[in-house]
Amino acid sequence: MRIPFATFVPMHNEVKNEMFEKFREIYDRSWFIQGEEVHNFEKEFAEYCGASFCVGCGNGLDALFLILKALEVGAGDEVIVPSNTYIATALAVSYTGAIPVLVEPELDTYNIDPNRIEEKITQKTKAIMAVHLYGQAADMDRINVIAKKHDLYVIEDCAQAHGARYKGKRVGTLGIAAGFSFYPGKNLGALGDAGAVICKDKTLADRIRAIANYGSEEKYNHIYKGNNSRLDEMQAAFLRIKLRKLEEWTGNRQETAKFYMENIRNGKVVLPVIAPDCTHTWHIFALRSEMRDDLEKYLSEKGIGTTKHYPIPMHMQGAYSELSALKGKLPIAELISRTELSIPMYYGMAQEEKEYVVMMVNQF
């Protein structure tokens, strides 16, 4: 049996006719930027998340950068980020001229450890970037208490956590603003790059929208040194169709994760942990094993696709060579990078496929 790490086929088959019809509609309408599809998606996604405002943009990295820029984070500032996140989180900080300051995660949840944040706060710290990694919310109550104490912004990186909940609230509504990615592989994915910012404050939303539109609220009148990062009509239309299916698709992923959690039994493998008060959306099902590379090879030989999130930690990336002195000083991030292996997780997995993955992991 061959099982891919991920496939879009089951979900895309369900919406194929609707997607093609929408493509033809927009093609014939000949309006491709900042039209009614973007407006409607922004409204619908804000409502889904429980936010007041949504601003579509080009991708998830841009979403985070636009938030930081709108909050006037820049050169001389520091922003706290997890040490084990995807590089886009740190790049958004770097693009503003600020410095990403790495804080270790909790090993069981993979999310930033609130107990380690305060020791990294300085007079230069401007914000905490809380990443909801793999589909599970960080401990936002504790993070917000720290932020309030030190007068810091809390920004959520929701790129992997569409629809996840923390104490009943959707992620994206637990800080001053949140960035989402709609990269095709996300739980809510476009058919290309796309992203969005959600927030509660109209003034902030308007500023973000203007910065993303060449710094302009009115054509040819530029009030900021802006960027070009706009969600296009076609992707917005596709996302609207998929958004209506997201809860069903997420529920299916949760059923797969439940089956894995209840049936994988192998002392060489550490299962993920669902934190209290969290509803996990399982963008990634992340195992850990001290024999990770052997496990990866073994599963590949058995026809099971896997991937590693992320095999090189931030401070050991060539792009952040200035952080190379941290090697050995961020042991949890290094441990996760060395031991994490993601197994198949996607909407529409057949029961026999789930059973085969479990059997092969257990036989390792």
Side-chain angles (χ1 to χ4, degrees):
M1 185 179 292
R2 301 201 66 82
I3 303 173
F5 170 68
T7 177
F8 304 142
V9 172
M11 71 167 68
H12 282 181
N13 281 345
E14 289 187 6
V15 296
K16 183 176 181 178
N17 291 340
E18 195 174 358
M19 299 279 263
F20 274 60
E21 181 57 36
K22 183 58 72 170
F23 171 82
R24 285 190 289 268
E25 178 186 323
I26 294 172
Y27 188 89
D28 290 341
R29 190 188 302 155
S30 294
W31 191 302
F32 304 113
I33 297 289
Q34 293 183 319
E36 64 180 67
E37 297 293 345
V38 170
H39 172 77
N40 288 330
F41 173 73
E42 289 176 342
K43 180 176 182 292
E44 291 160 7
F45 190 65
E47 289 175 352
Y48 172 79
C49 294
S52 301
F53 303 97
C54 173
V55 180
C57 62
N59 54 67
L61 170 54
D62 282 1
L64 297 175
F65 169 68
L66 291 167
I67 295 168
L68 291 165
K69 190 167 182 177
L71 294 173
E72 299 183 338
V73 174
D77 295 328
E78 295 176 348
V79 177
I80 288 173
V81 303
S83 59
N84 64 315
T85 184
Y86 182 57
I87 196 170
T89 312
L91 287 175
V93 177
S94 297
Y95 287 175
T96 70
I99 297 171
V101 176
L102 307 186
V103 171
E104 289 273 76
E106 298 173 321
L107 185 57
D108 54 353
T109 68
Y110 305 111
N111 283 323
I112 192 168
D113 186 349
N115 292 323
R116 299 172 182 266
I117 291 176
E118 281 198 276
E119 65 190 44
K120 296 295 181 74
I121 293 173
T122 71
Q123 292 297 315
K124 298 179 180 179
T125 308
K126 197 76 172 283
I128 301 170
M129 189 88 79
V131 180
H132 307 309
L133 202 64
Y134 302 155
Q136 177 166 232
D139 192 342
M140 294 304 295
D141 279 359
R142 294 170 66 197
I143 290 170
N144 277 314
V145 167
I146 295 166
K148 185 176 181 180
K149 177 181 175 182
H150 296 276
D151 193 25
L152 305 175
Y153 297 122
V154 174
I155 300 162
E156 296 176 78
D157 181 342
C158 302
Q160 299 184 4
H162 312 71
R165 293 182 184 270
Y166 175 81
K167 296 188 175 180
K169 294 182 178 180
R170 301 271 194 203
V171 297
T173 62
L174 307 168
I176 190 167
F180 285 83
S181 167
F182 304 122
Y183 178 78
K186 306 299 185 184
N187 292 23
L188 178 61
L191 302 191
D193 274 320
V197 173
I198 64 172
C199 64
K200 306 169 189 174
D201 182 76
K202 184 178 186 301
T203 300
L204 180 59
D206 289 345
R207 189 181 304 138
I208 289 168
R209 187 180 301 282
I211 292 170
N213 186 38
Y214 297 98
S216 174
E217 292 179 341
E218 178 184 351
K219 195 169 185 178
Y220 302 133
N221 181 15
H222 304 272
I223 55 179
Y224 306 106
K225 292 183 177 73
N227 298 79
N228 176 19
S229 181
R230 299 174 299 201
L231 177 62
D232 69 64
E233 282 288 280
M234 201 71 75
Q235 299 302 342
F238 295 152
L239 287 167
R240 291 183 68 203
I241 293 168
K242 285 186 162 188
L243 180 58
R244 293 193 284 270
K245 303 281 289 183
L246 182 56
E247 285 299 285
E248 175 190 343
W249 291 345
T250 298
N252 182 266
R253 299 175 84 97
Q254 290 168 335
E255 289 173 6
T256 298
K258 185 174 185 288
F259 185 81
Y260 283 165
M261 295 287 279
E262 290 177 349
N263 292 282
I264 292 176
R265 296 289 181 268
N266 185 326
K268 302 181 187 71
V269 168
V270 179
L271 291 169
V273 172
I274 303 176
D277 301 314
C278 288
T279 301
H280 206 310
T281 56
W282 301 105
H283 174 59
I284 298 296
F285 193 94
L287 302 176
R288 281 191 295 110
S289 175
E290 290 292 343
M291 303 176 67
R292 189 269 306 280
D293 293 345
D294 291 335
L295 176 60
E296 178 185 36
K297 181 180 178 183
Y298 164 81
L299 292 177
S300 178
E301 290 170 350
K302 300 299 181 181
I304 297 172
T306 62
T307 195
K308 300 185 283 285
H309 293 92
Y310 301 97
I312 304 174
M314 190 90 62
H315 59 289
M316 295 166 64
Q317 296 280 355
Y320 282 101
S321 58
E322 68 270 24
L323 300 178
S324 61
L326 293 174
K327 184 177 180 179
K329 297 179 181 178
L330 295 170
I332 300 176
E334 293 177 20
L335 172 64
I336 293 170
S337 292
R338 188 177 71 250
T339 60
E340 192 276 343
L341 187 69
S342 302
I343 61 174
M345 171 58 69
Y346 53 87
Y347 171 74
M349 283 189 74
Q351 184 61 29
E352 57 267 27
E353 292 175 324
K354 301 175 194 178
E355 291 172 356
Y356 182 71
V357 171
V358 167
M359 180 173 66
M360 291 299 103
V361 172
N362 286 344
Q363 289 181 5
F364 172 69

